[in-house]
Amino acid sequence: MTAILDSVELNEPRVVQVKTVKDPRGLLGVVEGLKEVGFDFKRFYFLTELREDSERGGHAHKRLSQCFVALRGGVTIKLEGFGKRHEFRLDSYDKALILPPGYWRELVDFDSDSLVAVLASDYYDQKDYIRNYEEFLSYSRPAPVTKVPYIDLGRHVDAMRGELQKAVDRTFDSGMFIGGSLVEEFEVAFAHYSGAAKAVGVANGYDALELALRARNIGSGHEVIVPAHTFVATALAVVRAGATPILVDVERDSALMDVSQVEALITPRTRAVIPVHLYGHPVDMDPLIEIARRHDLFVLEDAAQSHGAFYKGRRCGSLGDAAAFSFYPTKNLGAYGDAGGVTSGDPDLIAKVKQLGNYGASRKYYHDDLGVNSRLDPMQAAFLLRKLDRLDRWNARRVELARRYIDGLSDIDGLRLPAVRNWAEPVWHVFAVQVAEGRREALESWLAGVGVGTNIHYPLPIHHQKCFSGFRWDPNSFPIAQDLTQSVLSLPLDAFHTDDEIDYVIEQTRNFFKV
Ligand SMILES: *Cc1c(COP(=O)(O)O)cnc(C)c1O
């Protein structure tokens, strides 16, 4: 695994700062369990009266987590586990070594006056010890990969459970369970992250799309251009706003809206266009915005899959007139429930979205618009604030894994890998390969048979969805979107997949193609 994810996420040993408070009476040091160290303590023990040549340790724990602090003197702690060695010198009471289970340890080079405190996650249990080095080696050897989940949200939670717990506490402590300071703090942070002037939280990505359209008075009698290959919400939001979706086909290699076909679709009723940065790759915005300016169209990015992606050095979410984001749990920035947001450079639009999402109220109990209830939950905002700090690292990890796929699969005939434009820095929400002529289902079930989870984004183009049958779209009118629904297959790609897991998917895919 790589250094992009930090040790907390990898369950590696790490040294953290111990909080100290100094006043005229002396110094107080504090180590908090779950909140800071990632686990709660059940046992405290200490080592002292050590000789300089004392050596302790010589064992590993299967489940026990520990936190070491050298309250006085110093000690060197040598660790080995999961194919790696670490060495730490603890020689000051303001440093704590957090040691996850599974590490063989040797404690050496004690200063003679040492006093080493140890906080442990559980009571003494003889069965938890591994005292035989040979046995330890087989225990800590990374298990060979035999299955790869498409995504495992449990890994996200485990990586930052302590911090998420803190976010829950922050919400309780704030006393605000609708709106309030956590929501505002997230709105400011997310606008800043996306390079937009303003952001407003809403209940989900679907509402973000609809409310952004309604905030511009787009509705009955209006047309909005959307790609034929996207998640249903893009087109459905247009319908729910009261307008008519006008579909445009997509590019074969990128699966993104074919901007060159947009202008021909514009009529006197057209009011907006919704480019979808599908799979985490931005749409070619410059030519699209030029067309939109000429025809006075509102450009609403559907950025639900592209948090943090760059188009010519600018982030998705700051490219059009406004952008709709989803924080659905599996998105690159995901909450632990439904959540969404709108970004824009136009503060009036943001204010209008906020008003529409709060029963259309301009002030309490004065309802100027037929609004809805669509507000970002403060607890989700608290989670998202914690996760936003890590988003760039997680996206960088996705980029790394996408490169691994590209290196490992690019020579296979019959497999088209996702295109990356030279002006784009995608964030790989999805790694969608295209499988040639009729073999998609065969690859899908082959991979399922060897334990690899995949997905199809999406099995039907918008114009084939039953819910839109009232529009009477010609079933053959968007041929590339239609083809893609027959050929795309999304391979597992998430910040929490290991290199070994991706290598396993590559190997099994190569086996399928017999290369
Ligand atoms: C996820 C998604 C949405 C909708 O987001 P929700 O939060 O699930 O309502 C809209 N558009 C696209 C492209 C998406 O991927």
Side-chain angles (χ1 to χ4, degrees):
M1 298 256 302
T2 76
I4 285 180
L5 298 184
D6 67 24
S7 55
V8 192
E9 288 153 19
L10 298 177
N11 222 26
E12 283 191 354
R14 72 201 137 105
V15 170
V16 299
Q17 198 67 30
V18 172
K19 263 190 301 200
T20 55
V21 188
K22 207 169 178 168
D23 70 15
R25 295 169 298 173
L27 182 143
L28 173 71
V30 184
V31 177
E32 298 203 64
L34 186 61
K35 280 187 172 185
E36 288 174 3
V37 171
F39 58 89
D40 276 333
F41 314 128
K42 286 217 179 115
R43 191 159 50 112
F44 167 71
Y45 53 98
F46 57 90
L47 302 167
T48 192
E49 298 186 17
L50 296 141
R51 290 201 323 270
E52 284 177 39
D53 60 352
S54 284
E55 294 199 355
R56 303 200 60 117
H59 63 264
H61 290 281
K62 294 173 189 166
R63 280 183 310 277
L64 192 74
S65 298
Q66 290 157 302
C67 172
F68 290 75
V69 183
L71 293 174
R72 193 175 60 223
V75 57
T76 297
I77 303 182
K78 295 181 174 177
L79 301 169
E80 180 183 343
F82 309 100
K84 281 193 188 172
R85 288 172 197 276
H86 308 262
E87 186 171 319
F88 299 97
R89 179 75 189 166
L90 285 184
D91 55 7
S92 131
Y93 53 68
D94 62 357
K95 285 187 292 185
L97 169 67
I98 296 167
L99 180 53
Y103 286 88
W104 189 264
R105 78 283 312 274
E106 305 285 353
L107 280 63
V108 299
D109 293 335
F110 286 98
D111 291 341
S112 55
D113 61 342
S114 290
L115 171 59
V116 179
V118 186
L119 298 157
S121 65
D122 218 327
Y123 302 114
Y124 177 79
D125 176 6
Q126 182 52 41
K127 292 193 298 297
D128 184 56
Y129 278 78
I130 306 172
R131 297 188 188 275
N132 178 302
Y133 185 70
E134 296 305 314
E135 187 192 327
F136 160 74
L137 285 181
S138 60
Y139 184 84
S140 89
R141 190 176 303 131
V145 176
T146 54
K147 64 179 203 295
V148 183
Y150 181 71
I151 186 169
D152 178 359
L153 289 177
R155 298 184 191 182
H156 292 236
V157 174
D158 287 344
M160 50 187 305
R161 191 182 290 273
E163 284 193 59
L164 296 172
Q165 210 73 52
K166 271 196 224 172
V168 173
D169 288 344
R170 266 197 92 187
T171 314
F172 290 157
D173 293 344
S174 78
M176 292 290 293
F177 305 110
I178 299 290
S181 57
L182 287 165
V183 172
E184 284 162 22
E185 197 182 322
F186 175 70
E187 288 170 345
V188 169
F190 191 70
H192 178 77
Y193 177 84
S194 304
K198 289 257 177 197
V200 56
V202 295
N204 54 65
Y206 177 42
D207 286 357
L209 288 161
E210 184 205 332
L211 297 181
L213 292 170
R214 288 188 56 193
R216 272 294 177 98
N217 293 316
I218 293 166
S220 178
H222 299 150
E223 293 175 354
V224 177
I225 298 170
V226 302
H229 181 67
T230 179
F231 179 60
V232 69
T234 318
L236 203 53
V238 173
V239 177
R240 206 172 60 166
T244 302
I246 301 297
L247 303 186
V248 57
D249 211 350
V250 293
E251 302 169 336
R252 186 173 298 275
D253 64 341
S254 71
L256 296 172
M257 166 182 272
D258 186 344
V259 173
S260 72
Q261 295 190 36
V262 167
E263 194 154 24
L265 298 170
I266 295 173
T267 74
R269 291 176 298 282
T270 311
R271 290 292 180 279
V273 55
I274 307 184
V276 181
H277 307 306
L278 198 72
Y279 304 151
H281 188 297
V283 169
D284 193 3
M285 292 298 283
D286 282 349
L288 183 68
I289 288 170
E290 198 193 302
I291 295 164
R293 292 290 163 265
R294 254 188 275 129
H295 298 272
D296 198 21
L297 305 183
F298 175 54
V299 180
L300 174 59
E301 299 169 70
D302 183 337
Q305 303 190 0
S306 60
H307 320 68
F310 284 100
Y311 172 73
K312 300 185 181 174
R314 287 173 296 142
R315 296 244 201 221
C316 291
S318 68
L319 306 169
D321 296 309
F325 284 90
S326 165
F327 307 115
Y328 184 85
T330 57
K331 304 284 159 114
N332 290 39
L333 179 62
Y336 294 99
D338 273 313
V342 176
T343 57
S344 179
D346 176 0
D348 295 339
L349 183 134
I350 293 295
K352 192 74 181 177
V353 169
K354 198 176 194 91
Q355 180 178 331
L356 287 169
N358 191 28
Y359 290 107
S362 55
R363 57 194 164 110
K364 202 169 187 186
Y365 303 134
Y366 290 79
H367 303 274
D368 300 1
D369 295 294
L370 294 172
V372 295
N373 177 350
S374 183
R375 302 179 287 222
L376 175 61
D377 179 290
M379 189 148 346
Q380 301 303 340
F383 293 143
L384 290 166
L385 273 165
R386 292 272 161 190
K387 294 182 80 176
L388 185 59
D389 288 340
R390 298 157 121 105
L391 179 57
D392 280 341
R393 268 185 301 136
W394 287 338
N395 280 340
R397 175 66 180 157
R398 286 173 180 272
V399 169
E400 235 179 33
L401 295 182
R403 277 204 204 107
R404 215 171 178 87
Y405 272 133
I406 291 165
D407 290 346
L409 297 173
S410 59
D411 61 330
I412 299 178
D413 290 333
L415 200 63
R416 187 199 289 270
L417 299 186
V420 179
R421 304 290 183 235
N422 57 14
W423 37 254
E425 287 175 51
V427 290
W428 300 102
H429 175 61
V430 162
F431 191 86
V433 299
Q434 297 174 32
V435 190
E437 210 55 40
R439 300 195 73 197
R440 193 257 310 267
E441 272 67 27
L443 176 58
E444 183 187 20
S445 54
W446 168 272
L447 288 174
V450 293
V452 175
T454 58
N455 244 305
I456 293 172
H457 298 106
Y458 297 91
L460 281 182
I462 294 296
H463 61 299
H464 290 188
Q465 296 287 359
K466 213 191 248 177
C467 66
F468 298 125
S469 58
F471 291 102
R472 302 186 184 288
W473 283 311
D474 175 352
N476 299 314
S477 47
F478 308 102
I480 297 176
Q482 191 175 333
D483 274 5
L484 287 176
T485 58
Q486 303 299 307
S487 64
V488 285
L489 186 67
S490 307
L491 302 181
L493 194 164
D494 179 61
F496 289 87
H497 281 118
T498 65
D499 291 354
D500 289 348
E501 285 178 320
I502 299 308
D503 288 348
Y504 179 79
V505 180
I506 291 170
E507 183 192 325
Q508 294 300 340
T509 304
R510 297 187 70 85
N511 288 346
F512 172 81
F513 286 102
K514 301 193 167 59
V515 287

